[in-house]
Amino acid sequence: ETGVTQTPRHLVMGMTNKKSLKCEQHLGHNAMYWYKQSAKKPLELMFVYNFKEQTENNSVPSRFSPECPNSSHLFLHLHTLQPEDSALYLCASSQSQGGNEQYFGPGTRLTVT
Amino acid sequence: GIQVEQSPPDLILQEGANSTLRCNFSDSVNNLQWFHQNPWGQLINLFYIPSGTKQNGRLSATTVATERYSLLYISSSQTTDSGVYFCAVEGNTGFQKLVFGTGTRLLVSP
């Protein structure tokens, strides 16, 4: 148990669906992150929020839309995804962005059909 | 941006054996972490070690920042040590983000 939870743990969605991934951290951190892990590829950073402000969008397609309503919660809204978006989506948090240890949630395994 | 290389890519051990995993990086860092990813995908923090040496049970790690490498030692390996070990670094110049290596896949057989 790392103090970072993610729901759902598994998600199957069609290309026309809209769904959301949720992340919550109980560590009192101020930075939250979304990462994508595809088969045979290293983890890729998608988005960073530091003190609720988005500080990084790593050239992510607009069909992925993040939302950070407060420092404890992070969402990833999904719409009109493609099969190549199937992956493990990991959320992380740290005390603040830059030089601090990151803690990861268990991930959401997404399959797009 | 900063580059991270891990070796070996794959490692097979008998239970009880010792091993050393290596992480090379291309620039000075202000964050270096070792993770173990279990079969369910969970990334478990092993060490936060931008420099120096740390030990936790059968695991220890050393980072020589001036020579841009880190080593993870696993002693008396157990089958539960199987999984993928990732090194991730954050450079101290430019944008602050954690860059992951491609991992070392470890299989410990009984």
Side-chain angles (χ1 to χ4, degrees), chain A residues 4-95:
Chain A
V4 182
T5 59
Q6 290 186 243
T7 55
R9 296 292 308 276
H10 300 271
L11 178 62
V12 179
M13 60 185 288
M15 289 190 284
T16 58
N17 290 159
K18 288 184 180 181
K19 296 286 184 183
S20 295
L21 309 184
K22 179 182 176 183
C23 176
E24 183 173 1
Q25 57 94 3
H26 308 275
L27 300 170
H29 289 166
N30 296 297
M32 296 188 77
Y33 311 78
W34 280 117
Y35 289 84
K36 175 183 179 183
Q37 187 178 28
S38 305
K40 312 285 188 188
K41 292 175 72 174
L43 273 82
E44 304 170 68
L45 179 66
M46 299 175 73
F47 302 104
V48 182
Y49 280 82
N50 197 35
F51 293 92
K52 299 191 296 178
E53 297 296 320
Q54 185 175 324
T55 57
E56 170 75 357
N57 175 339
N58 198 25
S59 303
V60 180
S62 59
R63 57 186 183 270
F64 295 91
S65 174
E67 179 189 0
C68 186
N70 55 61
S71 292
S72 298
H73 294 85
L74 185 65
F75 295 89
L76 188 62
H77 303 299
L78 316 171
H79 64 98
T80 58
L81 294 190
Q82 305 298 310
E84 59 265 28
D85 296 321
S86 298
L88 180 67
Y89 290 85
L90 291 159
C91 173
S93 72
S94 66
Q95 185 60 49

Side-chain angles (χ1 to χ4, degrees), chain B residues 89-108:
Chain B
V89 303
E90 179 183 324
N92 61 13
T93 58
F95 183 75
Q96 300 160 326
K97 67 177 185 180
L98 211 54
V99 176
F100 281 75
T102 53
T104 292
R105 186 174 299 275
L106 174 64
L107 177 63
V108 181

Side-chain angles (χ1 to χ4, degrees), chain A residues 100-112:
Chain A
N100 295 298
E101 187 172 6
Q102 292 188 24
Y103 295 84
F104 283 76
T108 295
R109 193 165 296 279
L110 173 67
T111 303
V112 182

